[in-house]
Amino acid sequence: MQGAPSDPAGLHHVPVLADEVLTGLNVQPGGRFIDGTLGGGGHTRLLLQHTRLTRTEAYRNSRADGVAGGQVLGLDVDPAAVHRVRKRFPGEISAGRLSVAQAPFDQIERIARQHGFTGVDGVLLDLGLSSFQLDTPARGFAFRHDGPLDMRFDPSTGSSAAELINDSSREEIADILYQYGEERHSRSIARAIVASRPVSTTVELADIVRRAVRSRSRQNIHPATRTFQALRIAVNDELGQLARAMAQIPALLRPGGRVAIIAFHSLEDRLVKEWMRDNARKFRSDPTLPAGGQEQIPVLALCTRKPIVPAAAEIEENPRSRSAKLRIAEKMPEQ
Ligand SMILES: C[S@@+](CC[C@H](N)C(=O)[O-])C[C@H]1O[C@@H](n2cnc3c(N)ncnc32)[C@H](O)[C@@H]1O
């Protein structure tokens, strides 16, 4: 996530953990990378900058496809993000250094193959939502702005948050709030939502939650924070998307290529941590082997045992970076 309050058009987002991502992905001139979450194009801009070859390097490495310099393939499921990035980098797109696609990242392998992006040097996922989305009331992500209760990353498909809470049972709503928001007051909030239906705006929902937990909440965050997070995760199937995308990433990396994932809440981070850990100690069944027919074939090597978090100075400059956790792993040589 990133933020630049003086930039309401969202054209110049501040990428989170920028140096850490560049170092972690081992970005070198001539490299080829996939940015699975373009957002405002903040990380993509850095990838383009740091993969650029000098004239001499370009001559020495002269590539069969005539592209001098590294290449980036960027995806975002949000059509507005894709439109913004296309407008931001027309030169790189026409030079063949940047390809952009509007697609959810659980389609990453198909899109990458379509664009010839296999055997890449790195894949980045910077999860969650961009400042542009958060700060646009019409998108319905923020309880601080009044807007329709939408929350879809791609507003052209699926059900909005309003449809979800107006059409689900009290138990289903409580489960969503508990599972995806780790909300202790899930049942009382669900009861209050059902009693106030139909609910159609962000501020209406925020007020319902505030009234439902008023006397019980000891949190120092806004009482609606967890409810909004939970609904956003459910509306966009964020954890399902992440799990399906991660499963495809190793096949896209060259041996030694890296995957970097920035998570913004504990559910995402746990999924990333477990996926990296499981792929760093994968077992293959082989009945010809002794010892129960199991052979260990790790797919990834962990580059970070603990997540990398922003330094105090970054948090001060960009408070939205405060919950970021970056994990990195490297693809092992084929066996
Ligand atoms: C935190 S922002 C990325 C910011 C970007 N790294 C930058 O520096 O500008 C996350 C972006 O991921 C996109 N996104 C979220 N879920 C997605 C998914 N399943 N597939 C593709 N994009 C997704 C959102 O639409 C949003 O634009």
Side-chain angles (χ1 to χ4, degrees):
M1 219 190 297
Q2 59 285 305
S6 58
D7 171 32
L11 285 171
H12 300 288
H13 288 239
V14 182
V16 162
L17 292 165
D19 290 343
E20 293 82 351
V21 165
L22 289 171
T23 310
L25 284 176
N26 193 19
V27 179
Q28 303 290 336
R32 298 171 78 239
F33 290 87
I34 302 176
D35 181 350
T37 49
L38 278 168
H43 286 107
T44 278
R45 185 180 71 83
L46 294 169
L47 292 172
L48 287 166
Q49 220 173 45
H50 289 261
T51 54
R52 184 175 294 133
L53 294 169
T54 62
R55 267 170 191 278
T56 329
E57 286 165 337
Y59 179 74
R60 267 200 234 113
N61 292 29
S62 74
R63 297 169 41 109
D65 57 11
V67 176
Q71 288 178 300
V72 178
L73 167 65
L75 333 179
D76 203 296
V77 69
D78 181 350
V82 168
H83 178 71
R84 235 176 15 255
V85 167
R86 287 209 170 105
K87 276 179 49 186
R88 186 174 178 186
F89 302 105
E92 287 81 354
I93 291 174
S94 61
R97 293 199 60 219
L98 174 63
S99 306
V100 174
Q102 192 244 319
F105 51 55
D106 73 346
Q107 299 296 308
I108 194 166
E109 189 170 0
R110 181 177 63 79
I111 304 284
R113 291 192 189 283
Q114 260 172 17
H115 287 80
F117 267 73
T118 50
V120 298
D121 298 292
V123 175
L124 170 67
L125 296 181
D126 175 19
L127 302 169
L129 73 169
S130 67
S131 299
F132 180 78
Q133 291 162 330
L134 191 65
D135 296 339
T136 305
R139 302 298 301 269
F141 285 108
F143 47 79
R144 292 178 204 285
H145 308 295
D146 200 7
L149 192 57
D150 192 318
M151 300 197 191
R152 286 170 296 178
F153 285 135
D154 177 358
S156 70
T157 73
S159 304
S160 68
E163 286 165 330
L164 182 69
I165 60 171
N166 289 326
D167 299 343
S168 303
S169 68
R170 195 182 69 197
E171 293 73 23
E172 286 166 339
I173 298 172
D175 282 353
I176 290 171
L177 303 188
Y178 186 72
Q179 264 185 34
Y180 299 146
E182 298 174 297
E183 173 58 71
R184 289 190 299 132
H185 306 298
S186 55
R187 283 163 200 254
S188 5
I189 297 173
R191 200 177 314 120
I193 289 174
V194 169
S196 319
R197 293 201 290 209
V199 182
S200 53
T201 72
T202 49
V203 164
E204 253 180 83
L205 177 62
D207 286 345
I208 293 167
V209 178
R210 195 176 23 234
R211 284 198 304 272
V213 303
R214 189 179 321 172
S215 52
R216 276 165 289 168
S217 181
R218 274 172 277 123
Q219 305 162 351
N220 49 10
I221 56 170
H222 187 290
T225 305
R226 292 172 188 279
T227 296
F228 273 65
Q229 173 189 302
L231 292 178
R232 200 197 78 209
I233 293 175
V235 162
N236 296 290
D237 182 22
E238 289 184 32
L239 301 179
Q241 277 282 329
L242 176 59
R244 292 190 295 275
M246 289 191 299
Q248 299 166 39
I249 289 173
L252 297 174
L253 293 171
R254 68 165 171 81
R258 294 196 171 176
V259 49
I261 305 183
I262 306 176
F264 287 88
H265 55 77
S266 56
L267 299 171
E268 274 173 357
D269 183 54
R270 197 177 312 143
L271 212 59
V272 176
K273 176 176 150 183
E274 286 171 3
W275 172 72
M276 287 189 177
R277 192 197 55 201
D278 291 350
N279 278 274
R281 54 159 200 227
K282 203 153 204 167
F283 288 87
R284 172 170 68 184
S285 288
D286 182 346
T288 64
L289 288 171
Q294 294 264 301
E295 183 194 16
Q296 191 173 6
I297 41 153
V299 176
L300 298 174
L302 302 183
C303 303
T304 46
R305 297 223 161 251
K306 291 202 171 231
I308 298 173
V309 296
E314 176 168 359
I315 297 175
E316 196 176 324
E317 220 169 89
N318 180 13
R320 286 177 183 172
S321 71
R322 69 185 171 276
S323 44
K325 287 198 166 117
L326 166 65
R327 293 183 189 267
I328 300 160
E330 182 172 308
K331 179 160 170 185
M332 299 290 285
E334 308 282 352
Q335 314 206 359

